[in-house]
Amino acid sequence: MSYILNIETATKNCSVALAKDGKTILCKEIAEEGYSHAERLHVFIEAIIKEAGIALQDLSAIAVSQGPGSYTGLRIGVSAAKGLCYALDIPLIAVDTLQALAAQVTISSGLIIPMIDARRMEVYSAIFGPTLEKKREVLAQIIDDNSFEDREETLYFVGDCADKCKPVLTKENHVFLEEIVYPSAKEMSAISFEKFKINDTVDVAYFEPYYLKDFMITAPKK
């Protein structure tokens, strides 16, 4: 029996899920404009462990969303995950954020395109098949009328980019699943368990989130 704690902080959604043998048994999450991850994350972790009736020492591994996504959000999640792994002497598992987002979609044909907002008309995106096999690697791309024009399959877009991308991606094979907005730790459970079974872990000391782009400091809005 394996308990894995899954942590997802790559977007506005601060999400923590406890999984038992790859099945989510508890999840706490909240998506807020103010990115309250620093205040919420450890509270969620403590609450889930207590509610499950287990101890931190019962965990077999910690899984964390590796990005791409918010620089600050990723740093908070990875720092917490590393701290727990060090203290408990258990392995760290890195999960592709876009794969976890795509895992919320169930289709029999076509392609899933998870997208995370990267400001202006840029998004972080990847392409997955119906069984989550990766068809195209993660890219930071500018969305315009010609984006994905080489794809004839039905394309299912998910993520927090519908408002800005829907007016541009208007071909008949473009479908927006607007109810799916943020990646969640719930969908990390099956992915992290498969990685755990084959010992697909990362070095706790040297692992860094997958930022995709360099962090840029911007002036605060007045």
Side-chain angles (χ1 to χ4, degrees), residues 3 7 30 55 60 75 96 105 112 117-118 122 124 151 158 162 166 169 189 221:
Y3 286 108
I7 298 173
I30 187 169
S60 300
R75 294 299 299 179
D96 183 335
V105 182
I112 306 166
D117 192 11
E122 190 171 17
Y124 302 128
R151 302 286 179 171
V158 297
K166 197 172 182 180
L169 301 173
S189 297
K221 293 181 179 179

Side-chain angles (χ1 to χ4, degrees), residues 166-192:
K166 197 172 182 180
V168 178
L169 301 173
T170 58
K171 294 182 173 60
E172 290 186 0
N173 65 324
H174 294 170
V175 178
F176 281 84
L177 304 179
E178 297 183 57
E179 69 276 11
I180 300 173
V181 180
Y182 301 116
S184 170
K186 294 192 299 289
E187 276 68 43
M188 292 174 60
S189 297
I191 300 170
S192 61

Side-chain angles (χ1 to χ4, degrees), residues 4-220:
I4 297 177
L5 189 72
N6 298 276
I7 298 173
E8 164 55 64
T9 57
T11 65
K12 293 176 182 177
N13 193 30
C14 180
S15 181
V16 179
L18 179 65
K20 180 179 178 181
D21 294 336
K23 304 290 185 182
T24 298
I25 57 175
L26 285 170
C27 179
K28 293 187 181 297
E29 58 188 354
I30 187 169
E32 296 180 311
E33 289 295 329
Y35 281 91
S36 59
H37 301 20
E39 296 82 14
R40 303 275 190 178
L41 182 57
H42 288 283
V43 174
F44 284 175
I45 293 171
E46 290 175 8
I48 277 183
I49 294 299
K50 183 177 180 180
E51 191 173 336
I54 66 171
L56 286 171
Q57 289 74 15
D58 294 320
L59 296 175
S60 300
I62 305 291
V64 67
S65 179
Q66 69 179 13
S70 158
Y71 178 91
T72 302
L74 288 169
R75 294 299 299 179
I76 291 170
V78 169
S79 295
K82 282 187 171 186
L84 286 168
C85 288
Y86 273 123
L88 300 170
D89 192 23
I90 56 177
L92 177 63
I93 299 168
V95 174
D96 183 335
T97 301
L98 290 170
Q99 184 182 12
L101 180 55
Q104 298 185 51
V105 182
T106 301
I107 57 174
S108 58
S109 62
L111 297 172
I112 306 166
I113 303 183
M115 298 191 297
I116 293 175
D117 192 11
R119 298 182 182 179
R120 300 185 179 87
M121 286 307 292
E122 190 171 17
V123 303
Y124 302 128
S125 72
I127 300 178
F128 294 88
T131 58
L132 292 186
E133 69 277 19
K134 187 171 283 188
K135 299 292 188 179
R136 197 211 69 197
E137 292 300 318
V138 177
L139 294 176
Q141 64 179 134
I142 304 295
I143 299 297
D144 58 29
D145 295 342
N146 299 316
S147 299
F148 308 107
E149 64 178 358
D150 59 328
R151 302 286 179 171
E152 297 181 356
E153 307 95 323
T154 300
L155 306 180
Y156 296 91
F157 297 100
V158 297
D160 60 354
C161 303
D163 287 346
K164 71 179 184 182
C165 293
K166 197 172 182 180
V168 178
L169 301 173
T170 58
K171 294 182 173 60
E172 290 186 0
N173 65 324
H174 294 170
V175 178
F176 281 84
L177 304 179
E178 297 183 57
E179 69 276 11
I180 300 173
V181 180
Y182 301 116
S184 170
K186 294 192 299 289
E187 276 68 43
M188 292 174 60
S189 297
I191 300 170
S192 61
F193 185 59
E194 290 303 313
K195 285 176 170 280
F196 177 74
K197 289 192 295 184
I198 60 174
N199 199 32
D200 184 358
T201 61
V202 294
D203 190 306
V204 176
Y206 297 103
F207 173 72
E208 289 292 329
Y210 181 42
Y211 298 119
L212 196 59
K213 295 198 305 180
D214 291 334
F215 176 57
M216 297 180 65
I217 299 175
T218 57

